Amino acid sequence: MSDEAQLKALRNRIDSIDEKILELISERALCAQTVAQVKQKALPEGEKAVFYRPEREAWVLKHIMELNQGPLDNEEMARLFREIMSACLALEEPLKVAYLGPEGTFTQAAALKHFGHSVISVPMAAIDEIFREVAAGAVQFGVVPVENSTEGAINHTLDSFLEHDMVICGEVELRIHHHLLVGENTKTDKISRVYSHAQSLAQCRKWLDAHYPNVERVAVASNADAAKRVKGEWNSAAIAGDMACELYGLSKIAEKIEDRPDNSTRFLIIGNQKVPPTGDDKTSVIVSMRNKPGALHHLLEPFHTNGIDLTRIETRPSRSGKWTYVFFIDFIGHQHDPLIKDVLEKINDESVALKVLGSYPKAVL
Ligand SMILES: C=C(O[C@@H]1C=C(C(=O)O)C=C[C@H]1O)C(=O)O
């Protein structure tokens, strides 16, 4: 067979595979629609069904990854299914998700990675506003950054958990790549100012010291905001990611300038919905302790004796008295697991206050 004929035959095969995929996706979407009807029918008149099931979605993605034999890798395959589920869920009910805006931020990228592109994503100007928007019921979920592998905790987010009653329904991790961006009119040899969010400036500190030691570093509300500003200025650059670069039509003069190549940010999904166990979960709690010797030791002991894996511990001022603290603790397991229940009871006895922020599936993607 000639190359030409072979290509034609392969393309014919791809066409007929696509037709089958189309049919199967449509069949899947119809099933999801029927699931919605069944969910709604099971409830008394006037009560609204919960359509989004994070524990089920985590299971579907993991199942696909287990079955996958290549040549596409697991992450790629799961991303495709993430989008299929997102579209199916939108047929049941389009989700509204608030994120730290403006458009083009890493938090928006995290929201789309977690929920897929069929959600309605709503930009908010500040972390606190996301909490308020979810509390008011204007959106079902919010996405907030909580920690960065280079720069540590996002204190605004932690403090917002002290002020609002919010359930954590999920987590998402995003690799953060920063680029130095300029606009059409920027004179690249005359750059005297670099805009970015304080966290991003910090994540690129060494690179800036080495390449632009005398340039003024200006912290602004977000990386997207930084990108927006440079458009109209000839002597400034922005540090931001791919989404902001595309959205504001900028070009990269240096790529991946973050000091640590594994630079990642973890985001939390906040809402009002408690998530049942999947068998591979995390739990987040806030604990306040009496200020006495050995308090932290007593707090951590039940985790140690029960072999529970702590993934994070963070301290913040409690805001209820000078030099008193609260601990944010993340660990592996679900609050409904008998072992975790026991541990939480012990901690409750030892502490001034214990608040379980939520149990949720570990990030799959
Ligand atoms: C179809 C369902 O509803 C939603 C859509 C899902 C899907 O497309 O697979 C999975 C979970 C839910 O978010 C379900 O609950 O099974």
Side-chain angles (χ1 to χ4, degrees):
M1 216 194 296
S2 70
D3 286 356
E4 198 61 31
Q6 203 184 351
L7 274 183
K8 191 158 188 283
L10 283 168
R11 285 184 181 140
N12 283 340
R13 243 176 95 190
I14 288 179
D15 287 347
S16 69
I17 293 170
D18 283 351
E19 283 160 23
K20 280 190 213 142
I21 295 175
L22 172 68
E23 217 172 280
L24 289 173
I25 292 178
S26 304
E27 195 182 328
R28 190 190 193 286
L30 274 172
C31 275
Q33 258 181 331
T34 317
V35 166
Q37 287 159 12
V38 174
K39 283 178 189 171
Q40 193 59 63
K41 223 172 50 204
L43 291 174
E45 223 18 74
E47 210 170 298
K48 199 167 166 331
V50 176
F51 294 115
Y52 173 61
R53 305 302 317 213
E55 73 287 6
R56 167 76 184 153
E57 296 204 351
W59 185 90
V60 171
L61 295 178
K62 276 207 203 124
H63 182 58
I64 290 298
M65 287 163 116
E66 273 161 24
L67 289 180
N68 181 38
Q69 310 245 332
L72 294 183
D73 70 29
N74 277 354
E75 285 220 347
E76 201 61 59
M77 194 56 100
R79 261 203 295 275
L80 292 174
F81 275 82
R82 168 64 284 163
E83 291 303 332
I84 293 174
M85 278 200 291
S86 182
C88 288
L89 177 65
L91 272 183
E92 293 186 51
E93 168 193 50
L95 284 185
K96 263 194 177 171
V97 178
Y99 65 93
L100 187 59
E103 259 194 288
T105 56
F106 286 113
T107 315
Q108 185 183 24
L112 297 177
K113 181 178 180 191
H114 187 80
F115 289 101
H117 284 67
S118 300
V119 291
I120 302 164
S121 57
V122 187
M124 293 288 135
I127 287 174
D128 191 51
E129 278 182 35
I130 302 171
F131 278 78
R132 273 189 265 136
E133 202 72 354
V134 178
V139 295
Q140 288 108 316
F141 297 99
V143 182
V144 289
V146 68
E147 58 177 324
N148 173 265
S149 60
T150 313
E151 278 304 298
I154 319 287
N155 292 332
H156 275 147
T157 296
L158 296 183
D159 293 344
S160 296
F161 277 112
L162 297 176
E163 278 160 33
H164 300 266
D165 275 326
M166 210 43 69
V167 178
I168 301 176
C169 320
E171 62 166 0
V172 51
E173 215 181 291
L174 200 68
R175 249 331 224 291
I176 304 287
H177 294 304
H178 292 301
H179 317 299
L180 191 68
L181 307 176
V182 293
E184 266 167 17
N185 303 323
T186 312
K187 299 201 181 346
T188 50
D189 54 341
K190 298 245 159 42
I191 291 173
S192 61
R193 191 182 298 148
V194 175
Y195 293 112
S196 196
H197 188 272
Q199 279 268 342
S200 312
L201 288 171
Q203 289 164 28
C204 303
R205 188 182 297 128
K206 284 194 195 132
W207 188 91
L208 284 171
D209 288 347
H211 296 88
Y212 289 88
N214 301 317
V215 159
E216 185 193 4
R217 300 173 197 185
V218 183
V220 291
S222 70
N223 296 340
D225 184 28
K228 214 192 276 181
R229 282 171 195 246
V230 302
K231 268 199 89 108
E233 297 181 16
W234 61 270
N235 60 337
S236 31
I239 292 178
D242 285 313
M243 269 180 70
C245 177
E246 253 169 62
L247 194 68
Y248 296 101
L250 303 180
S251 40
K252 297 175 191 173
I253 52 170
E255 274 191 86
K256 297 188 179 168
I257 61 169
E258 59 278 4
D259 294 334
R260 294 181 59 100
D262 57 356
N263 188 35
S264 304
T265 297
R266 184 169 164 254
F267 299 82
L268 294 174
I269 314 301
I270 55 170
N272 300 304
Q273 185 177 331
K274 289 199 170 134
V275 186
T278 66
D280 195 13
D281 305 290
K282 263 189 192 173
T283 297
S284 299
V285 298
I286 306 179
V287 191
S288 60
M289 299 294 287
R290 253 175 278 284
N291 204 354
K292 61 176 190 193
L296 185 58
H297 174 77
H298 284 303
L299 169 62
L300 298 181
E301 201 172 22
F303 289 107
H304 173 67
T305 47
N306 290 283
I308 293 165
D309 199 358
L310 292 184
T311 55
R312 190 170 76 114
I313 176 159
E314 210 77 62
T315 314
R316 292 291 298 152
S318 74
R319 297 179 157 195
S320 60
K322 197 175 169 196
W323 308 128
T324 59
Y325 298 94
V326 292
F327 300 98
F328 285 80
I329 304 175
D330 288 356
F331 54 89
I332 302 295
H334 193 285
Q335 56 185 310
H336 293 166
D337 301 343
L339 186 67
I340 303 291
K341 265 190 178 163
D342 267 8
V343 168
L344 289 176
E345 265 168 36
K346 285 199 185 94
I347 292 171
N348 200 23
D349 294 343
E350 283 288 333
S351 65
V352 176
L354 165 72
K355 185 164 151 190
V356 179
L357 296 175
S359 294
Y360 46 91
K362 265 203 259 172
V364 182
L365 286 177

